[in-house]
Amino acid sequence: MSRIIENNRGKIGKGFLFMLVLFAAGLSSCNKSQSYSELLREEEKVVNIFLSDQKVMLDIPADSISFEIGPDAPFYRMDEDGYLYMQVISKGDMTDRPESGDVVYIRYERENLKYKYLYGESVLEGNQNGFANEYNKSASFVYKNTYLESTTALGTGIQWPMKFFGYNCEVNLVLRSYYGFSEDQVYCNPYLINVKYFKPEY
């Protein structure tokens, strides 16, 4: 009987020690967690590093016609704070453009720039090519709508090209989380995203 008690004491002591180690590890990880302002600074740094290898224009043309197009076109800064940059691959059909309240379908492929910076690897996701699945193959938004969950989930930045171009256009966007998908805003994840825009087929 006394041997059993001694064994249990040993187990309790080891268990308590193990719990202390876990608690200390938890405190250590909490101390290492970043504040929101630190995440924003890191996001800005990551975007600046990506853009340092690109041709960047700080002003957008006064009209939709003067944008340079193609894979070697510059990234245009779309807002004064530098939260959104756009490279135009194709302007699409300039005679067929969405109006407020119209549904716009998109096919996209995106890359987390922070993940690439931290780990040196590209991880692609979206609904283009082999990435399509039943959940996201029909991603869409209602143009100029800021209330529908299906629209706000994609963020506001993805709608910006529709101000300038028509259906079937294609762009590359550098989106900081402020304009990005709602799921990326908590952790301040910036993305490079290729987007193609389509008119609904009725």
Side-chain angles (χ1 to χ4, degrees):
M1 184 72 170
S2 61
R3 192 174 293 172
I4 294 173
I5 292 172
E6 287 298 323
N7 286 340
N8 284 338
R9 283 178 181 166
K11 289 178 182 176
I12 292 170
K14 290 177 183 175
F16 180 71
L17 181 61
F18 180 68
M19 291 301 292
L20 278 177
V21 170
L22 285 179
F23 180 70
L27 285 178
S28 175
S29 65
C30 286
N31 290 336
K32 291 180 181 177
S33 65
Q34 294 173 286
S35 68
Y36 185 67
S37 60
E38 289 172 330
L39 288 171
L40 286 174
R41 285 195 296 272
E42 183 180 55
E43 179 185 40
E44 182 179 16
K45 174 183 176 181
V46 168
V47 168
N48 288 340
I49 288 172
F50 171 79
L51 291 173
S52 67
D53 289 330
Q54 311 295 326
K55 182 180 177 183
V56 175
M57 301 291 286
L58 298 181
D59 297 304
I60 60 175
D63 56 58
S64 302
I65 300 172
S66 301
F67 279 97
E68 294 182 43
I69 62 172
D72 297 321
F75 279 86
Y76 292 91
R77 186 181 67 176
M78 304 304 291
D79 70 313
E80 291 184 2
D81 296 314
Y83 290 163
L84 174 63
Y85 291 82
M86 179 175 70
Q87 180 187 49
V88 185
I89 306 301
S90 170
K91 297 178 183 178
D93 185 353
M94 296 294 285
T95 64
D96 191 8
R97 300 169 65 173
E99 298 180 359
S100 180
D102 287 347
V103 175
V104 179
Y105 281 85
I106 62 168
R107 304 289 280 181
Y108 71 92
E109 180 179 275
R110 67 184 193 148
E111 176 183 26
N112 186 324
L113 293 176
K114 185 188 291 187
Y115 187 90
K116 184 177 181 180
Y117 169 74
L118 292 175
Y119 304 106
E121 298 178 9
S122 295
V123 177
L124 302 177
E125 59 184 63
N127 62 0
Q128 285 185 23
N129 304 320
F131 299 99
N133 59 44
E134 289 302 316
Y135 175 74
N136 66 9
K137 70 179 182 180
S138 61
S140 65
F141 59 83
V142 177
Y143 185 47
K144 294 188 177 180
N145 181 284
T146 57
Y147 303 102
L148 285 175
E149 184 178 352
S150 59
T151 295
T152 57
L154 295 172
T156 56
I158 209 161
Q159 295 197 27
W160 277 56
M162 295 289 88
K163 298 178 182 180
F164 305 96
F165 312 120
Y167 288 110
N168 301 316
C169 71
E170 178 182 358
V171 299
N172 288 323
L173 300 174
V174 175
L175 281 176
R176 287 182 61 179
S177 56
Y178 181 79
Y179 286 127
F181 289 17
S182 59
E183 66 188 51
D184 304 317
Q185 293 172 4
V186 174
Y187 299 104
C188 303
N189 287 323
Y191 276 85
L192 171 65
I193 177 169
N194 173 265
V195 195
K196 301 172 184 175
Y197 299 82
F198 302 99
K199 194 172 186 175
E201 296 182 4
Y202 297 105

